[in-house]
Amino acid sequence: MERTICYQGETIAYQLEWKRVKNVNIRVLPSGLVCVSANRKVASKEVDRIVSSRAEWIVRARTYYAGRAVQQMPVTYQSGEPVCLFGKRYELQVEPSNRERIVPEGNDLRMFVNDPEDFSHNKRLFEAWYRACCEAALTRAVETVFPLFQKYQIPMPQFRIRRMKTRWGSCLPIKRVVTINLYLAQAPVACMEYVVAHELAHLVRADHSAQFYAVLDAVMPDHRERKRLLREQRINCYTE
């Protein structure tokens, strides 16, 4: 059945479906339709209250779907949503299972979960898996790129991963810390290697001078092509 809530003077309609679920689950479909599932033991007014508490996120998700020509990461963690990993696009398939895991299979990314309707849990499961993929890729990229800097005798910095909205990486030469954007795992491995090389070059030259780019030219002659490839990925950094 359809119900409505009011948010900042505007009406938001949602489809409520009664199911045998533990939590009130909210999904925003690419079409903008808001779907809510809840146990019959939960009063309708309580469902309205919970949906109202997530109204800001609902508006953001709708805006995201309306403004993105190409979606590359799941938003509601349901079957059919796209997942981009290392330059390859998969279609998410959410399936019930007592053994929770995520497995790439052909063009599908199969996510086995206890409750396909538990948005919060499935989001945490996916993000933990995705971070692990990024960490593994970063380790391999560092093992490939760092030896290229041997003649510069730079120290091995501490690498860390975090969500970043405007940069693919950053370097603090004094602290010897390199930070890599979590969402870089959406791009081909060559792009991850480029960003690692770019940040390591800052340990040789902390600026973006001609000398800095001379270092990049020496260790990675095709860094400009890799940077162009990264720009072409149209990587999505949307997150709730």
Side-chain angles (χ1 to χ4, degrees):
M1 64 176 174
E2 181 173 294
R3 296 185 63 83
T4 61
I5 62 167
C6 185
Y7 175 69
Q8 295 185 345
E10 295 187 9
T11 299
I12 297 178
Y14 71 90
Q15 296 293 323
L16 174 60
E17 183 177 3
W18 300 113
K19 289 186 176 182
R20 293 181 178 178
V21 293
K22 296 180 180 179
N23 304 308
V24 175
N25 302 305
I26 305 171
R27 302 193 308 275
V28 179
L29 304 186
S31 63
L33 181 67
V34 181
C35 297
V36 178
S37 58
N39 195 293
R40 286 190 177 276
K41 295 180 180 179
V42 182
S44 298
K45 289 186 178 180
E46 176 63 11
V47 176
D48 288 344
R49 185 193 67 77
I50 294 173
V51 174
S52 294
S53 70
R54 299 290 299 281
E56 181 180 359
W57 172 79
I58 291 171
V59 171
R60 287 173 56 200
R62 279 179 157 181
T63 300
Y64 160 78
Y65 279 128
R68 290 278 181 174
V70 179
Q71 180 195 357
Q72 302 193 80
M73 290 290 281
V75 175
T76 60
Y77 302 91
Q78 61 181 326
S79 292
E81 288 194 298
V83 178
C84 191
L85 185 66
F86 306 136
K88 179 176 179 178
R89 284 175 60 85
Y90 296 89
E91 184 173 285
L92 187 65
Q93 303 296 338
V94 183
E95 305 175 37
S97 174
N98 292 328
R99 182 188 168 206
E100 295 195 319
R101 62 198 187 280
I102 299 177
V103 183
E105 188 174 286
N107 293 322
D108 291 334
L109 187 66
R110 303 180 67 190
M111 185 164 76
F112 297 93
V113 295
N114 290 327
D115 180 5
E117 299 292 334
D118 191 339
F119 166 83
S120 297
H121 174 76
N122 298 342
K123 180 175 185 289
R124 289 193 298 270
L125 177 68
F126 178 89
E127 290 184 344
W129 173 83
Y130 181 81
R131 177 175 287 273
C133 290
C134 187
E135 290 173 347
L138 176 58
T139 297
R140 292 191 295 269
V142 172
E143 290 174 348
T144 298
V145 175
F146 187 74
L148 304 177
F149 287 82
Q150 183 176 3
K151 74 174 184 178
Y152 298 101
Q153 298 183 331
I154 61 174
M156 172 67 82
Q158 173 192 352
F159 283 88
R160 62 188 184 187
I161 294 173
R162 58 174 290 195
R163 301 172 189 269
M164 304 171 74
K165 292 184 178 181
T166 60
R167 293 186 291 179
W168 296 122
S170 65
C171 178
L172 296 175
I174 296 178
K175 294 184 177 181
R176 298 177 182 175
V177 174
V178 170
T179 303
I180 298 297
N181 192 329
L182 173 67
Y183 297 102
L184 190 57
Q186 294 181 51
V189 173
C191 298
M192 175 83 76
E193 293 175 349
Y194 155 70
V195 174
V196 169
H198 183 105
E199 303 310 331
L200 287 176
H202 280 307
L203 295 177
V204 182
R205 293 287 305 190
D207 52 24
H208 286 103
S209 63
Q211 290 87 347
F212 168 83
Y213 286 104
V215 173
L216 266 183
D217 286 336
V219 300
M220 187 173 284
D222 65 341
H223 68 88
R224 291 176 181 82
E225 288 75 16
R226 295 180 188 229
K227 181 178 181 179
R228 188 179 304 113
L229 176 62
L230 179 56
R231 286 177 173 173
E232 292 172 352
Q233 297 305 301
R234 298 178 65 190
I235 291 178
N236 161 35
C237 295
Y238 174 88
T239 183
E240 180 183 351

